[in-house]
Amino acid sequence: MKSCAIVGINWGDEGKGRMVDLLCRDYDIVVRFQGGGNAGHTVVNEKGSFALHLLPSGIFHEGVVNILGNGVALDPENLWNEIRELREKGIPVTPDNLKISERASLLLPWHRDLDIFEEKRLKDRKYGSTKQGIAPFYSDKYQKKTILAGELLRDGLKDRLLSLMEWKNLTLCGVYGAEPYTWDRLEEWLNRCCSPIMPFICDTQQYLEQAEESGKSMLMEAQLGALRDLDFGIYPYTTSSNTTAAYAPIGAGLPGLKLGEVIGVVKAYSTCVGEGPFVCELFGEEAERLREAGSEYGAKTGRARRVGPIDLVATKYGVKVQGATMLALTKLDILSTMESIPVCVRYRLNGAEMDRFPFPSDLSEAEPVYIRVPGWNCDISRIRRYQDLPQAARDYVELIEESVGCPIRYISVGAERESIIFR
Ligand code: GDP
């Protein structure tokens, strides 16, 4: 089966959505394999500008089948809102172009409450949760204390939910002093949010096995980036799932699949949402200018993103962790007004310089070592051939490529689908 994963190399928001939107016309199936509605892809195409949270970015393409795999945090409430929004803007979302894995675990209403209570309790020690319930959801998934989407279609649902509710009320009331959940409240949620998504739930594993046998192709889409991976990221400031390509076949529903291409998406500078160490962070006016130029505000929360120069130490690590076979460099146009561009080439830690990404809790001590390279100082957003880029822009691309040891095959110079250079 021709397969490809599109994954983030950095902290997320690299522009994965636009790459999936661009490339999915060459694939039959697009699958989201992890994460929930806590982040957002922004996709700009001929139908408008859309912020997607849970739906795969292939949803805009006729003939593409989109799947929410077993690895996602399936939040019926957010999903149903998102489906309705797209339908209102004239995008068809039907059981023919969207399929939900019956093995996807459900984010239950109390997961969001627990997220909010916990961040409140932590006060200034918080992890920067988007309060969508993702961490409580994944911990309950691993404790086997939630339900699978397929259970919505089967007998025994009420008993299962009542026993989970009883167990969860112990924490909600005992630890946080909150109101207990009641069956009435759960029933209201089932009717309002779960019933409408039931027609989309099916055995996607079997669907994918048949697709594999008939030679169909599959694109797997990740949320966030390598540095937010639960196992390989900046723990505890990670997300609660695996954002790495190696998890894609598992979370998508074809655990035996050997991945073909892995396209790592890298932004031409660094951004980071929320808490955690961010070695190359810029502050003050310089940061403000970069943030404004790149419109670096979260797609889900509107939060101002932290910004900084490209970090080659973190990027090289991200490329390795993702097993990227090629890279897409995005938002190169945003750097077009800079006289010279800082590039972080090493970290200084404990008196020594290093280019290996450090252990998470050592990161707060690391300092960036910068070089400055010449800027190009002109608009590049209409350029479509690599050789037409100014020399300084090509040098910048090639410096990144050489430093991280992976070819850059795509360079995006604008948010629109066609603002891309194939190399
Ligand atoms: P994702 O979650 O990785 O898909 O990233 P986001 O959607 O959060 O962030 C990418 C943002 O940058 C979106 O608003 C895109 O429309 C925009 N974008 C993507 N590529 C480019 C580019 O090359 N140039 C410009 N100016 N904007 C871009």
Side-chain angles (χ1 to χ4, degrees):
M1 180 183 220
K2 176 181 155 190
S3 67
C4 172
I6 296 191
V7 291
I9 294 295
N10 307 118
W11 296 264
D13 307 314
E14 298 92 345
K16 294 174 293 296
R18 66 112 63 220
M19 290 309 298
V20 178
D21 183 58
L22 175 76
L23 298 177
C24 68
R25 57 187 170 203
D26 299 331
Y27 290 83
D28 301 303
I29 301 163
V30 178
V31 193
R32 261 291 298 272
F33 64 85
Q34 49 77 228
N38 51 330
H41 294 314
T42 311
V43 176
V44 184
N45 55 34
E46 76 281 356
K47 292 171 179 148
S49 174
F50 301 90
L52 296 181
H53 302 295
L54 201 52
L55 286 172
S57 311
I59 201 74
F60 303 107
H61 289 260
E62 222 185 300
V64 171
V65 173
N66 296 272
I67 294 181
L68 291 169
N70 49 280
V72 303
L74 191 78
D75 178 346
E77 184 158 4
N78 271 351
L79 178 63
W80 178 234
N81 284 339
E82 210 171 315
I83 292 173
R84 280 199 327 221
E85 265 173 51
L86 285 198
R87 283 179 173 171
E88 276 163 20
K89 290 183 181 172
I91 311 290
V93 184
T94 70
D96 288 330
N97 72 348
L98 175 69
K99 297 183 190 299
I100 299 173
S101 167
E102 62 180 9
R103 283 183 175 272
S105 306
L106 249 55
L107 191 143
L108 301 171
W110 46 71
H111 290 135
R112 203 175 278 110
D113 299 337
L114 287 167
D115 221 346
I116 294 166
F117 294 147
E118 187 55 14
E119 284 279 297
K120 224 185 248 169
R121 190 186 69 81
L122 286 170
K123 294 200 187 86
D124 52 349
R125 291 174 290 132
K126 57 188 192 285
Y127 295 136
S129 162
T130 52
K131 304 189 189 70
Q132 297 295 310
I134 304 299
F137 159 79
Y138 275 109
S139 26
D140 278 1
K141 172 174 171 170
Y142 284 91
Q143 284 204 73
K144 295 151 299 192
K145 295 286 197 200
T146 176
I147 60 166
L148 302 180
E151 291 184 64
L152 291 175
L153 312 177
R154 289 171 167 82
D155 292 340
L157 175 68
K158 183 171 179 183
D159 286 347
R160 284 268 290 135
L161 277 173
L162 279 174
S163 108
L164 290 173
M165 183 182 87
E166 219 171 89
W167 174 75
K168 194 53 86 179
N169 277 341
L170 296 175
T171 310
L172 285 166
C173 310
V175 176
Y176 298 106
E179 283 289 302
Y181 265 80
T182 58
W183 175 250
D184 281 355
R185 226 171 131 189
L186 277 186
E187 203 171 30
E188 187 275 330
W189 170 78
L190 280 171
N191 291 334
R192 181 168 51 86
C193 310
C194 298
S195 296
I197 64 162
M198 277 162 46
F200 299 94
I201 299 169
C202 60
D203 184 350
T204 56
Q205 204 175 338
Q206 188 183 32
Y207 177 84
L208 286 173
E209 283 162 9
Q210 284 166 353
E212 189 177 24
E213 275 161 29
S214 60
K216 292 209 166 135
S217 54
M218 172 164 77
L219 191 64
M220 284 159 279
E221 180 183 19
Q223 177 213 31
L224 295 166
L227 302 170
R228 299 289 190 192
D229 182 85
L230 179 61
D231 287 86
F232 298 99
I234 52 173
Y235 190 89
Y237 301 98
T238 57
T239 192
S240 305
S241 61
N242 290 107
T243 59
T244 36
Y247 182 74
I250 298 175
L254 271 184
L257 181 79
K258 295 223 165 17
L259 263 183
E261 295 293 348
V262 177
I263 302 179
V265 187
V266 180
K267 205 184 273 191
Y269 52 94
S270 302
T271 62
C272 167
V273 176
E275 314 293 321
F278 184 42
V279 175
C280 289
E281 184 160 15
L282 284 181
F283 298 95
E285 222 174 89
E286 212 179 346
E288 201 48 48
R289 269 204 304 273
L290 186 54
R291 187 176 299 118
E292 283 302 312
S295 308
E296 296 297 349
Y297 297 91
K300 178 84 195 177
T301 56
R303 281 193 284 189
R305 293 176 182 151
R306 300 156 76 191
V307 298
I310 191 158
D311 179 339
L312 294 181
V313 179
T315 303
K316 189 174 168 190
Y317 177 73
V319 168
K320 191 85 197 152
V321 164
Q322 291 291 16
T325 56
M326 63 175 81
L327 298 177
L329 182 69
T330 60
K331 300 189 105 166
L332 190 63
D333 55 303
I334 301 302
L335 303 183
S336 292
T337 57
M338 293 173 82
E339 287 288 335
S340 70
I341 304 171
V343 175
C344 171
V345 287
R346 283 182 299 283
Y347 288 172
R348 196 174 298 111
L349 185 64
N350 300 328
E353 287 194 5
M354 57 199 289
D355 65 0
R356 170 89 194 156
F357 194 67
F359 182 77
S361 62
D362 293 341
L363 276 165
S364 56
E365 301 297 317
E367 288 169 31
V369 177
Y370 291 119
I371 58 169
R372 284 198 94 93
V373 299
W376 43 93
N377 251 299
C378 62
D379 180 13
I380 57 169
S381 62
R382 285 190 184 76
I383 294 177
R384 298 291 174 265
R385 297 186 314 172
Y386 187 64
Q387 63 265 38
D388 296 338
L389 279 176
Q391 183 65 46
R394 279 183 282 150
D395 287 346
Y396 187 73
V397 172
E398 286 161 36
L399 170 69
I400 298 170
E401 188 172 68
E402 277 160 30
S403 307
V404 305
C406 189
I408 295 174
R409 296 274 186 249
Y410 305 91
I411 299 159
S412 78
V413 290
E416 303 73 26
R417 193 182 274 168
E418 64 281 5
S419 304
I420 191 104
I421 296 170
F422 294 89
R423 178 158 171 255

